[in-house]
Amino acid sequence: MAGLSLALPLAAQAEELGRKVFMQIAQPPCMACHTLKAAGAEGTVGPSLDELKPGLDQALQAVRNGTGIMPSFRDALTAEQINAVARFVSESAGK
């Protein structure tokens, strides 16, 4: 049971970091272009992530390398931030 009690706070911390990257840390912030209900985002430049429902690999690929007019965040975010925002998007899109 001890492992479970540690996992929940870590998961919550990762989700919070992902949300913060999506809303504030990434420049420009993801929410400026994308719609994602879980973040209260209503951007219209990029696709609605709630409709797209990207998986983790698709989200990681987009954040690292960019896609279409979306820039790459590989040099702007840490690996931890990229993983957190990709996980946040893939786990919350469409919910």
Side-chain angles (χ1 to χ4, degrees), residues 1 6 10 15-16 32 45 47-48 54 57 59 68 70 72 78-79 84 86-87 92:
M1 276 299 202
L6 291 176
L10 291 176
E15 180 179 352
E16 184 57 32
V45 175
S48 166
D57 288 340
M70 179 179 158
S72 166
T78 67
R87 186 167 301 283
S92 61

Side-chain angles (χ1 to χ4, degrees), residues 7-89:
L8 293 176
L10 291 176
Q13 289 175 11
E15 180 179 352
E16 184 57 32
L17 176 59
R19 181 185 312 277
K20 194 170 183 178
V21 171
F22 189 91
M23 297 175 70
Q24 300 172 328
I25 295 173
Q27 291 301 313
C30 310
M31 69 181 299
C33 297
H34 295 286
T35 296
L36 183 63
K37 185 177 179 180
E42 298 179 352
T44 58
V45 175
S48 166
L49 298 173
D50 287 318
E51 291 177 14
L52 187 61
K53 298 178 188 168
L56 180 59
D57 288 340
Q58 184 180 4
L60 282 169
Q61 181 79 5
V63 176
R64 285 182 185 138
N65 302 320
T67 180
I69 63 170
M70 179 179 158
S72 166
F73 288 90
R74 181 184 306 272
D75 296 330
L77 299 173
T78 67
E80 180 185 21
Q81 290 169 330
I82 289 171
N83 289 331
V85 74
R87 186 167 301 283
F88 172 68
V89 168

